[in-house]
Amino acid sequence: MTSAKTLPAPAAPKFASIGSPYFGIMLAVMAVVLILSNIGASKGVAIGPIITDGGFFLFPLAYILGDVISEVYGFKVARKAIMTSFALSVFASLSYWIVIALPGFNDDYGVAKQSALELALGPVPQIVLASLLAFLAGQTINSWILVKMKARSGEKSLWARLMGSSGVGEFVDTLIFCTIAASVIGITDFGMFVNYVVVGFVYKTLVEYLFVPLTSLVIRWIKKREPSYGI
């Protein structure tokens, strides 16, 4: 009678600590991208039949950075990056409120400037709420799936982790964000809303997929230069 062979347990996934400067740089860029995206998202954009918002070209960069942080540093560190970015985003929104509320000059230029600030930055708090809930849910799911997939495959199949996690995360993010932010940017009917959701999801996911080769190169570059990676 032969005994059944037991398969070896998969090796624990490798991650780095956050003692090097690379994480700090990526966290700073993620926070800036998120804050700028929130401002841009207050403007509705129509490119032919395509309906989107002014932050469409920035927001995918935050997810790409989230992928890099999750792959190199792990889920707990990625979650800290998400919460820190949103804390700074909320701080920026509070700063806008204070700037708008401060008494301005009463001349024509001062009145026009105040009106411009209110129109440009006034809707941002609702955009921040939409972005907070959407990015928190989408990026957390994205990071969790990526790390779980890495636990199964180790250092192999990086492209599959990036594409699989991004697709799910972007869908959750886009659906939540568009549902809350649609009224702010002028989406008034269901057809426009569906257009907004579909275009946002397809665009963001496509950008991330197109950048997978570059994201993979960046991840490998950082892994080689992180002294603590795998220790």
Side-chain angles (χ1 to χ4, degrees), residues 10 27 68-69 85 121 154 164 171 197:
L27 174 59
V68 176
I69 292 173
S85 296
L121 300 180
F171 177 75
V197 172

Side-chain angles (χ1 to χ4, degrees), residues 119-159:
L119 288 173
L121 300 180
V124 166
Q126 187 170 338
I127 295 294
V128 169
L129 175 63
S131 184
L132 173 63
L133 297 177
F135 191 70
L136 183 62
Q139 185 66 279
T140 301
I141 290 173
N142 174 74
S143 177
W144 184 81
I145 291 175
L146 189 150
V147 172
K148 285 294 183 181
M149 292 178 70
K150 184 175 182 179
R152 290 177 175 268
S153 61
E155 295 297 305
K156 299 178 181 179
S157 304
L158 174 58
W159 64 271

Side-chain angles (χ1 to χ4, degrees), residues 189-230:
D189 59 64
F190 184 71
M192 292 177 68
F193 174 75
V194 172
N195 189 318
Y196 188 32
V197 172
V198 172
V199 169
F201 169 67
V202 171
Y203 166 76
K204 293 172 185 177
T205 305
L206 182 60
V207 168
E208 287 210 53
Y209 284 2
L210 290 175
F211 273 85
V212 162
L214 179 59
T215 305
S216 301
L217 288 175
V218 171
I219 287 172
R220 292 189 179 100
W221 187 88
I222 294 176
K223 284 179 177 179
K224 290 180 180 178
R225 286 160 180 79
E226 272 289 7
S228 63
Y229 185 76

Side-chain angles (χ1 to χ4, degrees), residues 67-101:
D67 285 341
V68 176
I69 292 173
S70 299
E71 172 69 23
V72 177
Y73 301 98
F75 179 70
K76 290 183 179 179
V77 174
R79 186 172 55 191
K80 290 180 181 179
I82 295 168
M83 297 307 297
T84 301
S85 296
F86 273 106
L88 293 173
S89 185
V90 170
F91 174 75
S93 183
L94 292 174
S95 298
Y96 304 149
W97 285 343
I98 294 172
V99 170
I100 291 173

Side-chain angles (χ1 to χ4, degrees), residues 2 21 38 42 99 142 167 174 217 227:
T2 58
N38 290 337
S42 64
V99 170
N142 174 74
T174 304
L217 288 175

